[in-house]
Amino acid sequence: MMHDVKKTIAVLGGTGKEGGGLALRWAHRGHPVIIGSRTAERAEEAAAEMRETLGGAGSVKGLANPDAAAAADIVVLSVPYAAQQATVSEVATQLAGKILIDVTVPLVPPKVSRVQLPAGGSAVEAVQKLLGDGVRVVSAFQNISAHHLTKLDEDVECDVLVCADDPAAADEVVALAEEIGLTAWNAGPLCNSVVAEALTSVLISLNRRYKVPGTGIRITGVSKDA
Ligand SMILES: NC(=O)c1ccc[n+]([C@@H]2O[C@H](COP(=O)([O-])OP(=O)(O)OC[C@H]3O[C@@H](n4cnc5c(N)ncnc54)[C@H](OP(=O)(O)O)[C@@H]3O)[C@@H](O)[C@H]2O)c1
């Protein structure tokens, strides 16, 4: 009989809205989840809250970011853009040989509904450069509003663009996204993430103009059944 061994996922910045929503969904689907934070206390507090939400189902614990990264098979980075590089540098050793899923959108407050990409292209490419080839960096989830993630019984009406230079790593992240009720696509190399990163400001702009909490996008012309 095949055993479905669920990988342990650490979410750095999992105390926040986006990372917390993703962590909750993976924990709900049976993945051991570790909430990462700058402080172990905040991480454990957020983990305890999540355990309560899940009513005892699911395995969630909280650790300081480097310990969380060390203990996981797959690591998710979900912190504000201003903290992206510093957070990654702090856990570089612990990431060796692993997949890092970067959720970061390079927003520049206060004008977050305006596309303001870094001079070098996408923010995630700088992370891959910083970490080197020993870490498979995958960009995903930039367009998924945290608002929808906490509603566990609802599918999210926004597709996920997954970009990575390692296609196998991208496929693994597509599968992880689909496990939690999202439709995800392998959208090509890491440099293509520039589109997903920029698109978030467009979606924020739409949210404001049409007074809704979370607009999204759909890829058409292709079917998951194909
Ligand atoms: N919110 C959304 O709907 C959404 C949607 C798509 C993508 N995103 C992207 O996902 C990422 C996280 O978004 P979020 O809304 O969850 O952000 P957030 O709640 O503001 O921050 C997430 C966590 O990052 C850590 N953090 C905050 N400031 C930091 C700093 N200066 N240095 C180091 N760590 C810091 C905090 O954790 P500790 O204090 O516990 O360390 C915080 O709980 C962002 O890049 C955002 O653009 C967000």
Side-chain angles (χ1 to χ4, degrees):
M1 197 173 95
M2 286 267 294
H3 289 284
D4 182 16
V5 180
K6 299 279 189 182
K7 290 193 173 174
T8 298
I9 303 174
V11 183
L12 313 182
T15 50
K17 300 178 285 293
E18 183 75 2
L22 289 168
L24 181 70
R25 281 193 173 232
W26 277 314
H28 183 61
R29 302 305 301 171
H31 281 276
V33 161
I34 307 169
I35 302 295
S37 165
R38 284 169 291 179
T39 78
E41 292 73 23
R42 264 204 304 281
E44 184 43 45
E45 240 172 70
E49 211 173 289
M50 210 169 280
R51 286 195 296 268
E52 204 177 311
T53 305
L54 291 167
S59 152
V60 187
K61 63 180 176 181
L63 292 172
N65 284 331
D67 295 333
D73 302 308
I74 292 180
V75 181
V76 178
L77 177 67
S78 183
V79 298
Y81 177 49
Q84 184 190 37
Q85 296 261 340
T87 308
V88 167
S89 303
E90 215 189 45
V91 299
T93 314
Q94 291 83 354
L95 291 177
K98 297 179 182 173
I99 287 177
L100 174 70
I101 306 174
D102 189 7
V103 176
T104 310
V105 182
L107 299 176
V108 185
K111 294 189 174 172
V112 294
S113 58
R114 183 176 291 238
V115 177
Q116 299 179 78
L117 292 174
S122 72
V124 72
E125 281 176 284
V127 168
Q128 179 72 79
K129 203 167 165 191
L130 189 154
L131 291 169
D133 291 343
V135 181
R136 290 174 294 157
V137 178
V138 180
S139 163
F141 305 110
Q142 285 83 3
N143 307 134
I144 305 298
S145 162
H147 173 83
H148 295 303
L149 287 172
T150 44
K151 297 180 177 152
L152 285 177
D153 49 348
E154 288 178 20
D155 280 352
V156 178
E157 291 187 350
C158 178
D159 287 6
V160 182
L161 299 176
V162 178
C163 303
D165 288 337
D166 181 321
D171 287 345
E172 195 165 337
V173 176
V174 166
L176 281 174
E178 298 202 324
E179 263 190 72
I180 55 173
L182 299 160
T183 302
W185 304 98
N186 183 334
L190 202 61
C191 62
N192 286 3
S193 171
V194 77
V195 172
E197 292 174 26
L199 192 55
T200 301
S201 286
V202 175
L203 296 176
I204 293 171
S205 192
L206 288 165
N207 293 344
R208 288 181 176 175
R209 186 160 304 255
Y210 297 99
K211 299 185 175 35
V212 291
T215 51
I217 54 136
R218 284 289 194 216
I219 298 302
T220 61
V222 58
S223 161
K224 280 284 165 186
D225 309 327

